[in-house]
Amino acid sequence: RDPDEILGLEASCRNLHHAVLRCWKILARDYYNITDHENGKDAWKEGRALNALDQSRCEYVYFRNADYGVFRDGVFFGCNESIMIMSSSAHDTLQDSSGFVPENPIRIRDAATLKIVANMEGSANHKAVDLLGPSGNEFIVEYLDQGLRAHRNNRQVWEHTWSDGPTTTDQWCMLPSHHALLMIRNGNLHLFVYTPDAPKLTDVVTIETQNETPTMNWENLGRNFVLHVHPGILSFWKIDRSNKMRHYKTTTLSVKKSFDFIYSGSKHLVATGATRESNNDAFDDNIYVFDTNGMVLHKLLENIARPRPNHHFSPMNAVNVINSELLVSNSLMGAALCVWNLRTGKLVHRQEQAIAEGHMFRPGEEYADGTWIHCLDQLPSFDFPLYVMADTGGSLFVWGFPETAEQRSRIAHLKELAENENTR
């Protein structure tokens, strides 16, 4: 049965639209046993999302960082359909079994296999690296105190110098896409548009930042974005056809806090990483889910005891998935994958393989890799949900949800690759 092709369902339906909605409800009930959802089509979408991330499908892969002297103290990565890159804010030169590792490395993996294909020489003291542009013709962009640098084919092809000079600041945030790169630095919001030859600066807007660290995220296709620079306020912007930034909406949240991570979808606003004004303030570990008007719907929180009052849980990096029905996050413990239902505000399941296999420990126990997660993302190069976390030590934690034999074969190849890397 295809609900989009149904011309009628029951004589009791008032019209065609009512008949189709009734059909969606029946399908959601029959296929996914969802009976408490008011909207039949949304119930069907929720069921599909839950089925795609069913824990019976989950496969776990662990890439132990054998190069501890190379990647440490704040590991970050970027990915597209072609490559995945990884670097950190502290580096050392290292000779290992895979060959010489540069002093300021940017590790490049093939996005389809996660195999290491290169260790590129990066700039000294870069604060972040990410990808700008379409897959296969992308730039690797570094953020430094003095400016931005873009690399392609292991050589620098472009550089932009900040107008305020090479000053160190916490007031920065970098957000790339296939189309553009947004950069906040010291109250200036820069827009760099992708061109095949080099990124091009097309607009600079002065903004007033009150948060300790500003943050932003894309809304859709790299043209609309949401900005969070004032406690409890989200401002919405779009990039017009002349590649200028236009502010078009402001939403006031019912929680007046500064957040480290924000997300804007068609049904929800999500914020997490609420900052403390002082060390005497209580920790706020909630993931806040708002409606699009800024009213709190849920406060998502794992049932994990803080072992001591001053214990810092891992930062939360929330990722919205599959039609705004589910949210995937790391755990407060670190490298455990949490799947949340955004409608009910409930934790659907938490994948704790890293704990079971000794790759990390619960709070209060002996610490190991995975207790402090820096990055979480879904890799677009896989045809099934696959999530990667990176911890501060440079290890990678991977969860995949394959369905077909071919997809399970890809996971098997990842496990074989990880085993070879982990034992070198």
Side-chain angles (χ1 to χ4, degrees):
R1 296 179 289 182
D2 184 352
D4 288 328
E5 296 177 357
I6 286 182
L7 299 179
L9 189 62
E10 296 181 16
S12 60
C13 294
R14 295 186 299 272
N15 50 44
L16 173 61
H17 180 67
H18 190 196
V20 172
L21 291 180
R22 179 82 63 84
C23 186
W24 282 118
K25 275 198 170 185
I26 292 174
L27 288 173
R29 181 198 66 197
D30 292 351
Y31 282 88
Y32 304 121
N33 196 31
I34 297 177
T35 59
D36 60 343
H37 205 306
E38 294 182 0
N39 187 299
K41 190 167 186 177
D42 285 347
W44 171 261
K45 291 179 179 179
E46 180 181 309
R48 283 200 307 177
L50 289 167
N51 183 62
L53 297 183
D54 190 282
Q55 59 182 335
S56 64
R57 294 184 184 178
C58 187
E59 299 279 355
Y60 168 69
V61 185
Y62 172 59
F63 289 83
R64 180 180 66 88
N65 179 23
D67 304 326
Y68 282 102
V70 178
F71 299 103
R72 66 176 192 273
D73 298 339
V75 173
F76 32 78
F77 66 81
C79 57
N80 60 19
E81 293 85 351
S82 176
I83 61 174
M84 171 182 169
I85 60 171
M86 186 173 77
S87 190
S88 71
S89 55
H91 339 272
D92 285 330
T93 302
L94 183 70
Q95 181 77 31
D96 67 2
S97 58
S98 66
F100 180 75
V101 178
E103 182 176 356
N104 304 295
I106 298 173
R107 175 156 289 175
I108 304 174
R109 293 179 181 267
D110 178 77
T113 64
L114 295 190
K115 182 179 180 180
I116 298 173
V117 294
N119 285 313
M120 189 184 97
E121 179 71 64
S123 304
N125 302 318
H126 58 222
K127 302 296 180 65
V129 296
D130 218 320
L131 298 172
L132 167 64
S135 299
N137 202 33
E138 63 280 304
F139 296 105
I140 296 176
V141 180
E142 297 178 292
Y143 166 68
L144 304 97
D145 286 335
Q146 59 266 38
L148 296 176
R149 290 176 183 168
H151 304 262
R152 181 180 280 162
N153 299 326
N154 207 17
R155 68 183 183 88
Q156 182 179 323
V157 297
W158 173 83
E159 182 171 8
H160 174 82
T161 303
W162 303 125
S163 58
D164 58 355
T167 56
T168 300
T169 178
D170 290 330
Q171 288 287 315
W172 69 272
C173 181
M174 183 168 72
L175 181 66
S177 73
H178 284 14
H179 311 281
L181 182 146
L182 295 170
M183 187 75 220
I184 299 174
R185 177 179 162 84
N186 288 340
N188 289 320
L189 174 60
H190 304 75
L191 170 62
F192 298 89
V193 174
Y194 172 85
T195 70
D197 296 327
K200 180 181 179 181
L201 178 64
T202 62
D203 198 13
V204 180
V205 175
T206 300
I207 56 176
E208 180 186 354
T209 60
Q210 294 181 358
N211 292 355
E212 181 179 343
T213 54
T215 186
M216 53 188 167
N217 210 341
W218 294 111
E219 278 197 278
N220 56 71
L221 300 178
R223 304 301 296 184
N224 290 18
F225 62 96
V226 55
L227 188 65
H228 178 49
V229 293
H230 297 274
I233 296 177
L234 302 182
S235 60
F236 293 81
W237 298 67
K238 61 183 177 181
I239 302 172
D240 64 20
R241 292 184 178 181
S242 61
N243 290 321
K244 301 296 181 182
M245 295 176 287
R246 309 296 182 194
H247 173 256
Y248 69 91
K249 183 176 71 170
T250 297
T251 297
T252 300
L253 304 177
S254 57
V255 177
K256 192 175 180 180
K257 293 190 175 187
S258 300
F259 298 98
D260 290 336
F261 176 90
I262 55 171
Y263 168 86
S264 174
S266 59
K267 300 178 185 177
H268 306 98
L269 306 172
V270 177
T272 188
T275 57
R276 296 193 298 166
E277 293 184 5
S278 73
N279 290 332
N280 296 324
D281 291 345
F283 286 92
D284 186 347
D285 302 314
N286 292 286
I287 299 175
Y288 288 88
V289 181
F290 304 89
D291 64 19
T292 53
N293 294 318
M295 298 302 298
V296 171
L297 297 174
H298 306 293
K299 292 192 288 185
L300 313 181
L301 185 65
E302 297 172 81
N303 185 21
I304 301 172
R306 194 179 300 276
R308 53 189 181 278
N310 61 346
H311 174 79
H312 286 261
F313 279 128
S314 176
M316 299 296 287
N317 297 278
V319 177
N320 211 64
V321 295
I322 311 180
N323 297 322
S324 291
E325 309 301 331
L326 303 182
L327 181 141
V328 174
S329 74
N330 63 288
S331 169
L332 292 171
M333 295 183 290
L337 191 77
C338 297
V339 178
W340 305 85
N341 187 314
L342 285 176
R343 177 176 62 89
T344 65
K346 302 297 184 181
L347 179 65
V348 179
H349 58 79
R350 180 173 57 216
Q351 299 300 315
E352 299 185 357
Q353 296 90 333
I355 297 173
E357 299 186 20
H359 303 148
M360 63 165 283
F361 294 90
R362 292 181 182 275
E365 301 178 12
E366 181 183 353
Y367 280 94
D369 287 358
T371 53
W372 196 259
I373 294 300
H374 239 66
C375 295
L376 165 64
D377 211 342
Q378 180 177 358
L379 297 195
S381 50
F382 285 76
D383 60 347
F384 56 91
L386 187 128
Y387 298 92
V388 178
M389 295 182 194
D391 69 1
T392 55
S395 296
L396 298 178
F397 305 81
V398 181
W399 288 266
F401 295 83
E403 180 178 13
T404 67
E406 182 180 353
Q407 292 170 348
R408 288 190 289 272
S409 176
R410 294 188 71 181
I411 286 286
H413 286 130
L414 285 184
K415 291 182 177 180
E416 182 180 356
L417 175 67
E419 184 178 358
N420 291 335
E421 278 195 30
N422 296 348
T423 56
R424 64 181 171 85

